[in-house]
Amino acid sequence: MNNPAQAAGIGTQYSMGSPRALQLLQAARDLQPVLRERAAQCKSQRKVPAETIADFHAAGFFKILQSEQYGGYQMDPQVFYAVGLELAKACMSSAWVLGVVAVHNWQMNLFDPQASVDVWGDDPTVLVSSSYAPMGMVTPVDGGFMLSGRWSFSSGCEHCKWVFLGAVIPTEEAPWDMENYSTFLLPRDDYSIEQNWDVVGLQGTGSHDIVVDNVFVPEHHVHRMREDRGGEKHRNKAPLYRLPFMQVFSRAVCNASLGAVEGVLENYIEVAKTRIAGPVPMKDDPSAKKVAADTKADIEYMKLMMFSSFDKLMEAARSDNEVPLVERAVFRYETSKVTDQCLALSSRMLKAAGSGAIRNNSALLAQHQDIFASQAHIANISEPFSINLGGMLFGQPSTDSSL
């Protein structure tokens, strides 16, 4: 392979062959042994260790999608996703937190510019967590809104000084209409964290509840999703910040599953080297070989599919064109299916690895439980996206306002 991006295993058109991209990928690979060593600590403490967050900062991972104005690298999301894949092979919780926290550095560019000044004016390394479910109660007031509510699943919130929270802005005509869905930006002093993260997988993400009690949110701290449609609001911004929000974010929450299942395959191969499967070594068992081959092929297909689809989105943004709605619906369904497929592959390997794989100290089992837990995120529940796409193929209007 002459193309350094292809040599790195990421066959994309844009930026992947740059020296910085390759440095970031190598930094992620270099961190894998460290993340494996910290995996037990991450799980038991129910949060990514502060040392790991510091390592991510030092490596520049949080800068990948951040604007150059605030010291970021402003690189294509493909670089960001490729780094996440490498990290997830070693620790899915750590990769998950990077994915859903660092992607907020991209979303900040969809707000009024003053919001970025407020968050990063004194310290461009400040992090933002999120919980996008429309759980907030909103009251319009002069200059902004009063917000109250409780939001769950704010991954990495203990490492962050700000939060994005989802809510619907009521109007006289429509007290509750998802067309008015918005993201509200709040500083740490305006919310509390209730530590209630007790789950079967992804324990290290520390996805606790966020509680808000009637606080004022100024208008420039509100991102109205509907204003992104058509691209007019962001026409003069860099192509990176003209991408559809949900296409970028949904990839951030399935990416770790894909990296993790690659890690499962690596561990499965290690098991096969020493396990006796009945009368023959597992490495000589035809059925065990087929599981490995099928898994490898399916992983590579999913990577190719997602990078190819995102290249089309980036190409459209660069040429100031809009990807057709039905094609975006295809991309959205493809992304939502990734976790389903990863869980199926992990289940198959877990079964083929034999009784040792169900022990509590089994790396295969721990990774499997993490992938299982990732299915709980609404962006990874594929059925609604399949129904919407099927309806569109039958000539019906889209029911997904986030496309």
Side-chain angles (χ1 to χ4, degrees):
M1 291 183 180
N2 295 321
N3 186 316
Q6 292 177 339
I10 316 294
T12 59
Q13 300 179 50
Y14 306 113
S15 299
M16 288 309 306
S18 71
R20 174 169 282 166
L22 296 178
Q23 289 170 2
L24 288 162
L25 282 169
Q26 189 57 51
R29 292 171 183 140
D30 290 343
L31 275 173
Q32 287 174 349
V34 178
L35 296 183
R36 290 190 183 99
E37 289 178 5
R38 294 176 184 159
Q41 176 189 354
C42 184
K43 181 177 180 179
S44 64
Q45 294 183 351
R46 295 187 301 159
K47 67 177 181 180
V48 175
E51 296 86 349
T52 296
I53 298 297
D55 287 338
F56 289 174
H57 275 298
F61 298 158
F62 290 109
K63 293 182 178 182
I64 297 174
L65 300 180
Q66 190 174 23
S67 66
E68 293 177 345
Q69 181 181 357
Y70 292 98
Y73 299 153
Q74 200 167 307
M75 302 178 79
D76 289 343
Q78 302 287 44
V79 182
F80 179 62
Y81 299 136
V83 165
L85 288 175
E86 293 298 327
L87 298 174
K89 294 178 186 178
C91 178
M92 185 173 170
S93 284
S94 297
W96 178 280
V97 168
L98 176 71
V100 300
V101 170
V103 78
H104 300 146
N105 291 357
W106 172 84
Q107 190 187 356
M108 283 297 302
N109 294 274
L110 308 184
F111 282 75
D112 184 286
Q114 183 59 43
S116 293
V117 174
D118 296 344
V119 173
W120 292 325
D122 295 328
D123 182 1
T125 68
V126 165
L127 303 179
V128 183
S129 69
S130 69
S131 182
Y132 290 102
M135 304 303 294
M137 299 297 296
V138 181
T139 303
V141 296
D142 187 31
F145 307 90
M146 300 304 295
L147 180 69
S148 294
R150 174 187 288 269
W151 291 259
S152 296
F153 307 109
S154 187
S155 300
C157 58
E158 292 174 281
H159 298 292
C160 301
K161 295 183 179 180
W162 291 75
V163 69
F164 288 147
L165 299 173
V168 172
I169 298 175
T171 64
E172 291 184 6
E173 300 79 18
W176 181 267
D177 185 347
M178 285 299 289
E179 284 292 306
N180 296 322
Y181 174 82
S182 302
T183 303
F184 291 73
L185 172 66
L186 280 71
R188 183 65 184 83
D189 289 344
D190 285 354
Y191 61 91
S192 61
I193 297 173
E194 182 174 323
Q195 296 192 350
N196 59 354
W197 188 238
D198 185 13
V199 289
V200 71
L202 291 177
Q203 293 94 336
T205 63
S207 305
H208 303 295
D209 280 12
I210 302 293
V211 181
V212 176
D213 185 13
N214 199 37
V215 301
F216 174 72
V217 182
E219 178 66 45
H220 67 273
H221 283 186
V222 179
H223 169 215
R224 301 169 187 259
M225 296 289 188
R226 68 181 181 186
E227 295 180 357
D228 295 344
R229 292 178 206 155
E232 291 302 323
K233 178 182 176 183
H234 309 297
R235 184 70 65 190
N236 296 322
K237 296 180 180 179
L240 170 63
Y241 306 123
R242 297 203 297 266
L243 294 167
F245 169 82
M246 192 50 70
Q247 298 287 348
V248 177
F249 179 78
S250 63
R251 174 74 184 273
V253 294
C254 79
N255 202 57
S257 298
L258 184 51
V261 84
E262 284 198 88
V264 177
L265 177 59
E266 291 176 357
N267 283 318
Y268 176 79
I269 292 169
E270 287 301 310
V271 169
K273 291 178 180 178
T274 58
R275 179 174 178 261
I276 302 298
V280 298
M282 181 175 166
K283 61 184 177 64
D284 296 329
D285 181 15
S287 62
K289 293 178 182 180
K290 187 175 188 310
V291 169
D294 288 347
T295 300
K296 178 64 174 176
D298 286 348
I299 288 171
E300 293 306 316
Y301 172 77
M302 285 189 282
K303 289 164 64 175
L304 178 63
M305 173 192 71
M306 293 209 296
F307 280 107
S308 175
S309 297
F310 224 93
D311 274 347
K312 293 177 184 177
L313 288 166
M314 277 305 308
E315 184 177 4
R318 289 175 183 274
S319 59
D320 204 20
N321 292 322
E322 188 172 351
V323 176
L325 195 63
V326 68
E327 195 166 3
R328 298 206 302 271
V330 171
F331 297 162
R332 188 65 195 84
Y333 178 43
E334 288 175 344
T335 302
S336 70
K337 286 196 342 178
V338 166
T339 301
D340 291 342
Q341 292 172 283
C342 289
L343 185 64
L345 293 173
S346 179
S347 296
R348 190 178 177 197
M349 287 186 283
L350 196 68
K351 181 177 180 179
S355 57
I358 67 170
R359 296 186 182 277
N360 281 327
N361 65 350
S362 164
L364 285 168
L365 179 61
Q367 290 167 311
H368 179 78
Q369 289 174 320
D370 287 343
I371 296 170
F372 172 76
S374 72
Q375 283 198 312
H377 198 291
I378 191 170
N380 290 335
I381 299 174
S382 60
E383 186 173 4
F385 304 108
S386 67
I387 293 171
N388 179 55
L389 174 58
M392 293 177 72
L393 295 176
F394 288 162
Q396 299 167 7
S398 173
T399 58
D400 185 353
S401 60
S402 68
L403 290 178

